[in-house]
Amino acid sequence: INIPLSPQLSPSKNAQNYYKKYNKAKTAEIEAAKQIENAQNDLEYLESTLVAVENAESEDDLNSIRTEMITEGYLVRKLTKKRLKQKAPAPMHFVSSDGFDIYVGKNNTQNDYLSLKFANSSDLWFHTKNIHGSHVIIKLGIDKDVPKTTITEAAELAAYYSKARSSSQVPVDFTLIKNVKKPKGAKPGMVIYDYYNTIYVTPNNLEKS
């Protein structure tokens, strides 16, 4: 291997210059990796927000998304006291054919609320597999034996309120809410989960209660 050296510098100085270049390149590589990760997180968040916008059904739904994006720093606007006091729309509520309560988040903030605060550790949680969409919760109450019909209907709702609404045979993961975690520093609506099952369904909506 031939390494070019500067004849104006001593061997020691040449070695020091190369070591400085190495450290600079190493630091730049680490920083570039961080920037790529941050950009990917931003892209994931914005794509999930786009799905929420597409599924919005009222001006209040859109205002909630706008407030969330201002809070997260994606829109540069001041939140007025009036807007801060506005009551956010409640998550969508459905009742399955078997009489179980099913809740669906309308946006990332509601998804966090449903999965991290509203649901109990033994409730069932649904989300489309590797596809942006709403968090869906089956409230179990005292009865922990969930019929297959209710599981299918909850999965169909998760598919319907997702980016895959127009598709068929959509994969939907479901697990106990205790298996759903939010990584430190993760953006609204972003969670990780394990110990799950996957069901394939065609998106379908239910009549809201």
Side-chain angles (χ1 to χ4, degrees):
I1 299 175
N2 294 322
I3 301 176
L5 300 177
S6 173
Q8 285 79 31
L9 300 175
S10 67
S12 176
K13 278 289 186 181
N14 272 288
Q16 288 177 16
N17 280 351
Y18 274 111
Y19 188 69
K20 286 179 181 178
K21 289 180 181 179
Y22 160 75
N23 276 333
K24 186 176 180 180
K26 184 178 179 181
T27 301
E29 183 182 17
I30 294 172
E31 185 60 30
K34 289 181 181 178
Q35 293 298 327
I36 291 172
E37 182 180 2
N38 290 338
Q40 185 62 39
N41 289 338
D42 285 340
L43 179 61
E44 291 289 323
Y45 172 74
L46 291 173
E47 286 182 347
S48 68
T49 303
L50 177 60
V51 174
V53 171
E54 291 172 346
N55 290 336
E57 299 176 338
S58 67
E59 185 176 351
D60 286 342
D61 291 344
L62 292 173
N63 286 335
S64 294
I65 296 169
R66 184 182 294 111
T67 299
E68 177 189 309
M69 295 191 73
I70 293 172
T71 302
E72 292 298 311
Y74 290 94
L75 293 178
V76 184
R77 296 182 187 177
K78 288 185 177 180
L79 286 172
T80 62
K81 290 183 178 179
K82 181 180 179 181
R83 177 163 288 176
L84 286 171
K85 289 181 180 179
Q86 284 179 341
K87 187 176 180 181
M92 291 177 282
H93 176 223
F94 303 85
V95 178
S96 76
S97 301
D98 305 298
F100 285 79
D101 291 313
I102 303 176
Y103 294 87
V104 180
K106 292 182 177 180
N107 53 54
N108 289 312
T109 301
Q110 284 191 6
N111 287 337
D112 272 356
Y113 167 72
L114 280 178
S115 300
L116 305 175
K117 295 181 179 179
F118 178 77
N120 296 321
S121 60
S122 58
D123 289 341
L124 279 179
W125 180 90
F126 294 73
H127 194 280
T128 42
K129 189 180 191 71
N130 299 324
I131 301 170
H132 294 296
S134 297
H135 295 199
V136 176
I137 300 292
I138 297 178
K139 291 296 290 181
L140 301 188
I142 299 175
D143 190 352
K144 305 301 179 185
D145 186 15
V146 187
K148 185 176 180 180
T149 304
T150 292
I151 289 177
T152 300
E153 289 175 349
E156 289 172 345
L157 284 169
Y160 185 84
Y161 290 99
S162 79
K163 194 175 181 180
R165 175 182 288 192
S166 300
S167 305
S168 60
Q169 290 300 296
V170 178
V172 176
D173 292 338
F174 64 98
T175 184
L176 294 174
I177 197 69
K178 67 180 181 180
N179 299 323
V180 179
K181 304 289 187 296
K182 188 173 188 67
K184 185 177 180 181
K187 295 186 179 298
M190 304 301 173
V191 296
I192 57 176
Y193 56 94
D194 52 17
Y195 304 109
Y196 59 89
N197 294 304
T198 304
I199 182 174
Y200 289 81
V201 297
T202 297
N204 187 36
N205 201 11
L206 295 177
E207 184 177 346
K208 295 186 183 72
S209 62

